[in-house]
Amino acid sequence: MTLQKRYLRITHLLFIALLLIQLLPTRSTKEVFTNSLIIFAVGVEVIVLIASTFIKNEKSLALLLDIAGFIYTVLGIWTLATAKFNVLNDMLFPAPGKVISQFVEDRSTIVTNIISSLGTTFKGFIIAAVIAIPLGLFIGWSARVGSAATYISKFFSSIPPIVYIPYGIALLPTFKSVSVFVIFLATFWPVFAGTMSGVLGVDKKIIDSAKVLNVSKPEMLFSVILPASLQQIFLGCNQGLSVSFILLTSAEMIGARDGMGYYVKYYSDFGDYTRTITGLLVIGFVVIAVTFLFNKLQNHLLRWKK
């Protein structure tokens, strides 16, 4: 790639525009922490410039630049609407610099809550996957039983898992175990349905070829059908993982004593909207990061399909 494609892009103009916006007079009655915003934007730009030097794939570079450009645009509009023109209520909608500064101040608490939320999510997710995938393989192996089980899974998956929280509180010893139970229910049905869909969709020629080779039933399920069903299984896992974070945050807002949902609910009750928005943004970034890593794992395991 040429130097122009690497370094002379509209993304860098948006970065300069964001810095120029900071020169406008501030009309907000609250402290806006302009320096925090500038440091953050410069940090993002440095990362983009370094990555632009080493990234060889033009599509990957374009994606990175688009994401950075989107961040600069949002920060610019956000700054204009809050700190510079005071269009939005500065109590409900703090300036971006103030949110960034709050994140730095609360970083240890936020990291602790992220670890708690991820731990709860992965426990429920792994338990659900370990049960749902083998069960989906065995049930989906029978076309007749699999067809009936598909409708049963649709029925149970249509019930929001959060409605089971009262029963979980009554039956389980701790709220943490209730949260794991809710994540389990949120993940189980999408993974189960995805596994059965993958099994039922396996090409009959593949199965017939395996039968000709006298492949045993366990080998048929785990060495032939499982790899052929992986794409649908990952699709179900992706759906379950996305729903899990939504439900976990909701569950933590009801009665937990840690986690990002608790962080948002606790400070919103006290009218601390700077921390509330900080928590919401952190949750969004965490979900994006986990989804990105999961998709990388999926692409790695399914690289033989390309």
Side-chain angles (χ1 to χ4, degrees):
M1 286 184 286
T2 63
L3 290 176
Q4 181 179 358
K5 286 186 176 181
R6 287 187 182 274
Y7 302 111
L8 300 178
R9 304 289 283 266
I10 190 173
T11 299
H12 306 299
L13 296 178
L14 291 172
F15 166 70
I16 295 173
L18 176 61
L19 295 183
L20 292 175
I21 287 173
Q22 308 313 311
L23 300 177
L24 296 173
T26 299
R27 296 183 181 179
S28 176
T29 58
K30 306 288 185 181
E31 192 173 0
V32 297
F33 294 90
T34 300
N35 289 339
S36 297
L37 175 58
I38 293 174
I39 292 171
F40 174 79
V42 170
V44 173
E45 183 66 8
V46 169
I47 293 173
V48 169
L49 290 174
I50 293 173
S52 298
T53 304
F54 294 101
I55 293 178
K56 297 180 180 180
N57 187 290
E58 191 169 343
K59 289 184 178 180
S60 299
L61 178 60
L63 177 61
L64 174 66
L65 292 171
D66 289 344
I67 293 173
F70 177 77
I71 292 174
Y72 297 148
T73 302
V74 170
L75 290 176
I77 295 173
W78 187 358
T79 301
L80 291 172
T82 54
K84 301 307 176 182
F85 296 139
N86 202 22
V87 176
L88 301 175
N89 187 317
D90 52 13
M91 180 177 290
L92 295 176
F93 301 98
K98 189 174 182 180
V99 173
I100 294 169
S101 177
Q102 191 67 68
F103 172 80
V104 174
E105 181 181 335
D106 290 358
R107 61 187 180 279
S108 60
T109 302
I110 290 173
V111 169
T112 301
N113 286 319
I114 289 174
I115 293 172
S116 174
S117 294
L118 290 178
T120 302
T121 302
F122 289 146
K123 284 178 185 176
F125 181 85
I126 291 172
I127 293 172
V130 167
I131 296 175
I133 292 175
L135 190 62
L137 285 173
F138 283 107
I139 293 180
W141 174 244
S142 171
R144 182 175 179 179
V145 178
S147 298
T150 299
Y151 290 97
I152 295 173
S153 67
K154 287 181 179 179
F155 171 79
F156 283 106
S157 62
S158 66
I159 302 174
I162 199 168
V163 302
Y164 295 108
I165 287 180
Y167 291 97
I169 293 174
L171 298 174
L172 298 173
T174 64
F175 195 88
K176 182 67 71 175
S177 60
V178 175
S179 298
V180 173
F181 175 65
V182 171
I183 299 304
F184 168 81
L185 292 176
T187 305
F188 177 84
W189 295 111
V191 177
F192 178 66
T195 303
M196 286 198 304
S197 175
V199 173
L200 294 172
V202 174
D203 191 342
K204 193 173 183 299
K205 294 179 180 178
I206 297 176
I207 297 175
D208 291 339
S209 298
K211 288 181 178 178
V212 169
L213 297 173
N214 292 322
V215 174
S216 64
K217 188 172 182 179
E219 287 181 314
M220 176 75 79
L221 287 174
F222 293 103
S223 299
V224 178
I225 294 178
L226 178 59
S229 308
L230 274 180
Q231 193 163 8
Q232 288 297 320
I233 292 174
F234 271 109
L235 181 61
C237 288
N238 250 319
Q239 293 174 350
L241 195 61
S242 300
V243 175
S244 294
F245 278 107
I246 297 172
L247 290 174
L248 175 67
T249 304
S250 302
E252 288 175 340
M253 293 179 73
I254 293 174
R257 289 294 177 264
D258 54 8
M260 287 310 301
Y262 167 74
Y263 178 91
V264 171
K265 180 67 166 59
Y266 178 81
Y267 287 110
S268 65
D269 287 343
F270 288 97
D272 190 342
Y273 292 103
T274 300
R275 284 187 168 93
T276 300
I277 292 178
T278 302
L280 293 174
L281 292 176
V282 168
I283 290 171
F285 283 123
V286 169
V287 173
I288 290 173
V290 172
T291 304
F292 174 79
L293 294 174
F294 189 83
N295 287 336
K296 284 291 184 182
L297 174 64
Q298 176 180 343
N299 292 334
H300 176 72
L301 294 178
L302 295 179
R303 62 190 184 279
W304 55 273
K305 277 184 169 289
K306 296 181 181 179

